[in-house]
Amino acid sequence: MRIGVTKFPGTNNEQDVIRALNSLNVKGELIYPWENKKLEDLNALVIAGGFSYGDYLRPGGIAAQSPVAEKLIDFEESGKFIIGICNGFQILCETKILPGVLTTNLSTKFICKWINIKTESTHSPLLQNLAPIIRIPIAHYEGRYYDDSNGIKKIISDDSVAFCYCDEYGEITQESNPNGSLENIAGLVNAKGNILGMMPHPERASFSYLGSNLGRQIFVNLIEEIKC
Amino acid sequence: MLTTEEYSKILDVLEREPNKGEVAVFEAMWSEHCSYKSSKRWFHLFNVKAPYIELGIGEGAGLINLGDDLLVGLGLESHNHPSAISPYDGAATGVGGIIRDILSQGCKPIAILDAIRFGNLEESQHSQYLLENVVRGISFYGNCCGIPTVGGEVEFAPQFEHNCLVNAMCVGVVQKNKVVRSMATKPGSFLVLYGARTGKDGIHGVSFASKDLSDKSDRDRPAVQIGDPLMEKILIDVTLELVEKELLDGLQDLGGGGLSCAVSEMAHKGNTGAIIRLEDIHLREDDMEPWEILVSESQERMLAVVESDKLDEVVSILNRQDLTYGVIGEVTDNTHCIAYFRGEKIIDLPVELIVDGFPEPERITEKPDYLKEEDSIVPNFEDLNQEIIKLLSSPNIGSKAWVYQQYDQHVQTQTVVPAGSDSAVLRLDNGKHIALSLDCNSFMVYLDPYNGTANSAAEAMRNLIATGAKPVAFVDCLNFGNPEHPDSYWQFVESIKGLGQFSHDFGIPVVGGNVSLYNESYINGKRERINPSPTIGMIGIIENPEKLIKNSFQEKGTFVVNIGECDGNLNGSEFLRNNFGILQGKISHYDRQKEESSRKAIESLNQAGYLKSCHDISNGGLITVLAEMTFENEIGVKLDLLETDSFNKLKPEEFLFAETPSRYVVEIHSEHIESAIKMIEGNVSFSIIGKTVAEPKIEIENFLILEIKQLKNAWDKAIPQYMED
């Protein structure tokens, strides 16, 4: 099984994702922006978080122009899995593989804290057997999900809302929305169910000593699906 | 500016006039910031020894062996003056600088902590602006580099209105056999400068940092460096690869004094010399004069010493990562630092003279006038309840979440206890846990530099003890006023004595640090000086993660015990300062015996597994600690103080607000309380002060009932009330 983890200049969560994969006995391998050829040999790709190219221009904007990113559409079409986390979600939106944009938090500040999310979409194998309420950290400056009203309608009708921000009881409230995302959207999945983008960090909620291991199931699902 | 005495020394040694480039080098290297010319003479007072220290004071990182040859590196540095002029870039580059400091020893940076100090938020829009932008700068830089910012401290006082303080601490890890030293030992090795291009920013940065700020300091803005965290991140990744492959024979970052400092210090430590060619340095601006290239403090640059047989591999790695580099010179055996620019000799100086040749200036100490004041008298107040709310609303006491939520605390997935607790806890790859605390109570140091400093160090230690860690070493950042003023220098010397005493008393050595003087200014002719602020960054080890202690109440129906004794002294307390604007009188003295017996009590109770939770008592006194312990789980506490001696002897406000050192509050399960008491009885003064309860209230006898919700609300809003619309 070969799972790639992208490493753009400025990516800084790649080792964290690899740590989570290693703990599930999978060796993640780093994929540099120029290594587009390597993608063909991979079973799945995790686009790790951080600040690719310093978030200069805008988050994910430059990474989306890299040789690796150009191959992402082929990867998606072949039905292989991609999980984009934080900056990875931003890159997936920048490449239009997922709809909408991630823009500056309403507070206009970087926000790092533990929040709660719940799964909305049911069709993706990546979203099976998750805890009803997942305690998980966020850490971003541009995580406010936005799309126009037609876009939002389509996302909902396509069952594409992977995760919503909620309170500790699972209620989707304004107070539990940390960044002003429309519809409390914290993550999206495509209609086919093989592409997941999310602002919260499942790799940071993969070990109980970190405060939660409820994000781990997402990696478990990925590995199980590849085995199938 | 060089003094007359310094200039004559240069003439004596060189037996000629120094040229323009050489003067620039001396100005940088003999500045207070680089030379420690007012401070070094006191360092012998510190305890610097312990068997586990692999590298002490003198290089970028102090290195501690955790027991299995995984070393932890520590560094702590100030970036005060730049942050006062340009808060965003000043703070960002402060973080960048300390990261590269520990990187110089080959350490992978794993955590950042910051100690920041500003004027009162309530009165000063300027301080609000500084806080906003300093935090943004730290957040922008640290987050982008992928290093979690896991703790620190924030303090507000009018004394910092014109001289804010920004101290950044970085912690890293390196395998013992991969350590790189900041020295050039082998003549014939190459000097490779890599990272960002050299520009005109930060010219004379160290000289700017080594004089008082004034109302004209804004003109010094070009002395402030500009940071690029993406470049820093790439620099970190590449450096760690070079270290891992053992390709470097020496490494130092370019900080204060720029290239002239890095080259001469590395040659000096290695007892060698160096020849450099300035035309081989990649420049950001074309029109730089050779001396500017020598002393530019452009960020994100490292100078490596590479042996000739390894140069090709180093170059190929730098090329692969698309990083700018130049092979700019060689190590020589003639103990001179010589720089050429297109064949023309720009400087030719003995490294010994550059690094260590400054004449030590005479410095005089004189006890300041303000210390002659009488003890403070507590003014009458009507409602104790209101006073408590007012205290918890103080930005010095209240929640710092507004600050630390802007920092990525979780990247690298090692953060077990993030910011907001007594100390931060990280789990290292070898399964060991380290605890980190960064602390200083500048008000106490102001009132009594000796005792205030020793007590601040003891507080850093208590923070670790209250988390279940064993303190092993510390770094310090000594922020003081102008050493040429006898009263400011007195504060400095007393403070060092206090810190030295503490380090010997507890066998906790200092492994590094930084001195920042000249934190005073004349504004409209009025002298403004900071509270003397020796910030202390301490590291502890938690051998067994099961012994990690929580800082908030865990269960209802447990016993709440106060370890140590309250002396009722309110001088210097946040209660008097925040609620009534009083800062005077004699503070509680540092007491080794008491400190040690309460420490031992906590350690043995924890070892026996009796502690449900623990919190040390510091700023804001007992009531603040009790309130903080109730917040997380909304478990209340009911105090029964009839048997408590100190309560019966003291006025309620003294008992609740005094910040007497050597104290902790612990929570003990009822099934353990008897054995716990047996364990500590006779060894430490303590009192059972009450029990936790289900009702979300703090109830004290019959005279005080406080709703947790109301307390928490005040505490939560302490900073946001001034920073958000």
Side-chain angles (χ1 to χ4, degrees), chain B residues 255-528:
Chain B
L259 187 62
S260 68
C261 177
V263 173
S264 56
E265 285 189 353
M266 284 215 283
H268 186 244
K269 284 200 192 88
N271 202 22
T272 55
I275 287 182
I276 50 178
R277 292 171 301 272
L278 299 174
E279 69 272 18
D280 289 336
I281 295 171
H282 293 273
L283 302 182
R284 206 165 52 212
E285 280 112 314
D286 290 336
D287 59 339
M288 286 182 75
E289 292 197 39
W291 69 270
E292 290 181 312
I293 301 173
L294 267 173
V295 298
S296 156
E297 295 180 11
S298 287
Q299 299 291 291
E300 292 98 22
R301 297 180 303 160
M302 303 291 289
L303 183 68
V305 182
V306 181
E307 286 176 83
S308 54
D309 58 332
K310 291 177 179 159
L311 187 64
D312 287 347
E313 200 176 344
V314 168
V315 163
S316 81
I317 289 173
L318 294 170
N319 275 330
R320 181 158 52 78
Q321 298 295 339
D322 219 0
L323 206 58
T324 306
Y325 70 90
V327 181
I328 64 159
E330 292 88 41
V331 180
T332 63
D333 59 3
N334 77 348
T335 66
H336 270 236
C337 181
I338 303 168
Y340 288 96
F341 183 70
R342 292 180 187 147
E344 186 192 343
K345 197 181 261 187
I346 303 300
I347 65 163
D348 183 349
L349 297 169
V351 288
E352 170 72 23
L353 180 67
I354 304 178
V355 177
D356 228 4
F358 56 88
E360 207 169 68
E362 191 189 6
R363 296 284 183 243
I364 303 161
T365 61
E366 189 184 297
K367 196 171 173 178
D369 291 338
Y370 71 83
L371 288 171
K372 286 161 195 157
E373 288 178 51
E374 299 293 306
D375 274 1
S376 36
I377 295 161
V378 183
N380 289 327
F381 55 88
E382 281 179 5
D383 183 355
L384 191 55
N385 230 313
Q386 285 309 311
E387 297 301 326
I388 291 171
I389 297 286
K390 194 171 172 188
L391 179 69
L392 291 176
S393 314
S394 159
N396 285 331
I397 298 293
S399 166
K400 308 296 185 289
W402 184 91
V403 173
Y404 63 69
Q405 283 187 352
Q406 297 186 52
Y407 303 148
D408 189 341
Q409 302 161 52
H410 305 122
V411 62
Q412 297 195 23
T413 49
Q414 301 192 124
T415 310
V416 173
V417 179
S421 290
D422 277 345
S423 30
V425 178
L426 300 179
R427 180 189 184 276
L428 304 184
D429 277 337
N430 63 358
K432 286 209 165 123
H433 288 61
I434 56 169
L436 300 164
S437 155
L438 183 57
D439 238 309
C440 173
N441 183 326
S442 81
F443 304 110
M444 296 294 185
V445 182
Y446 168 79
L447 291 178
D448 183 340
Y450 177 88
N451 287 294
T453 303
N455 281 336
S456 283
E459 188 190 331
M461 178 175 80
R462 285 197 297 277
N463 284 332
L464 298 181
I465 300 289
T467 309
K470 176 177 175 263
V472 289
F474 70 92
V475 284
D476 56 24
C477 188
L478 306 172
N479 307 276
F480 288 81
N482 185 336
E484 295 160 43
H485 297 160
D487 54 351
S488 299
Y489 197 57
W490 181 87
Q491 293 178 326
F492 175 72
V493 175
E494 285 297 299
S495 175
I496 283 212
K497 286 179 182 166
L499 195 53
Q501 187 63 46
F502 169 86
S503 68
H504 285 287
D505 285 352
F506 287 91
I508 306 176
V510 56
V511 293
N514 161 246
V515 179
S516 167
L517 304 177
Y518 296 92
N519 292 293
E520 73 182 82
S521 37
Y522 283 85
I523 303 293
N524 300 323
K526 193 170 164 265
R527 184 179 180 195
E528 303 277 352

Side-chain angles (χ1 to χ4, degrees), chain B residues 553 558-566 615 617 621-623 625-626 629 637-647 655-656 663-668 673 677 685-692 698-701:
Chain B
F553 291 133
T558 55
F559 284 90
V560 178
V561 183
N562 177 25
I563 305 285
E565 198 177 359
C566 179
H615 202 324
I617 303 181
L622 176 68
I623 190 66
V625 170
L626 289 174
M629 292 181 85
V637 59
K638 189 168 185 225
L639 299 193
D640 174 6
L641 299 167
L642 295 175
E643 304 285 312
T644 303
D645 269 0
S646 49
F647 181 74
F655 183 74
L656 293 176
R663 293 187 301 154
Y664 302 82
V665 171
V666 297
E667 178 191 6
I668 297 174
I673 190 74
I677 286 172
S685 47
F686 70 93
S687 45
I688 298 175
I689 55 173
K691 287 184 93 166
T692 56
I698 297 181
E699 203 178 326
I700 303 177
E701 294 298 333

Side-chain angles (χ1 to χ4, degrees), chain B residues 93-110:
Chain B
T93 53
V95 170
I98 196 65
I99 294 171
R100 290 191 303 281
D101 265 342
I102 68 146
L103 195 58
S104 300
Q105 263 58 73
C107 292
K108 175 191 177 199
I110 61 164

Side-chain angles (χ1 to χ4, degrees), chain B residues 69-126:
Chain B
D69 288 350
L70 182 69
L71 311 189
V72 174
L74 304 177
L76 171 59
E77 205 170 58
S78 63
H79 228 215
N80 301 333
H81 282 46
S83 303
I85 302 295
S86 182
Y88 180 85
D89 289 310
T93 53
V95 170
I98 196 65
I99 294 171
R100 290 191 303 281
D101 265 342
I102 68 146
L103 195 58
S104 300
Q105 263 58 73
C107 292
K108 175 191 177 199
I110 61 164
I112 295 168
L113 296 92
D114 305 283
I116 52 181
R117 294 183 151 74
F118 306 94
N120 270 348
L121 288 183
E122 193 177 345
E123 297 137 20
S124 163
Q125 275 197 350
H126 178 63

Side-chain angles (χ1 to χ4, degrees), chain A residues 48-117:
Chain A
F51 295 72
S52 57
Y53 299 93
D55 275 2
Y56 296 148
L57 195 58
R58 58 177 188 268
I62 300 176
Q65 306 299 320
S66 66
V68 157
E70 282 167 5
K71 287 280 173 205
L72 288 181
I73 293 191
D74 296 346
F75 203 80
E76 187 264 315
E77 283 172 357
S78 69
K80 291 178 182 174
F81 289 91
I82 304 177
I83 300 178
I85 302 163
C86 199
N87 193 228
F89 186 16
Q90 293 164 337
I91 292 169
L92 288 174
C93 289
E94 280 288 335
T95 51
K96 305 268 188 276
I97 289 175
L98 288 174
V101 292
L102 291 148
T103 181
T104 309
N105 298 339
L106 267 189
S107 65
T108 69
K109 288 189 169 53
F110 190 95
I111 304 171
C112 171
K113 62 177 184 180
W114 286 91
I115 47 98
N116 297 292
I117 54 173

Side-chain angles (χ1 to χ4, degrees), chain B residues 575-586:
Chain B
F575 168 67
L576 277 188
R577 209 196 60 80
N578 177 68
N579 294 26
F580 303 102
I582 299 170
L583 178 62
Q584 65 181 61
K586 288 195 182 68

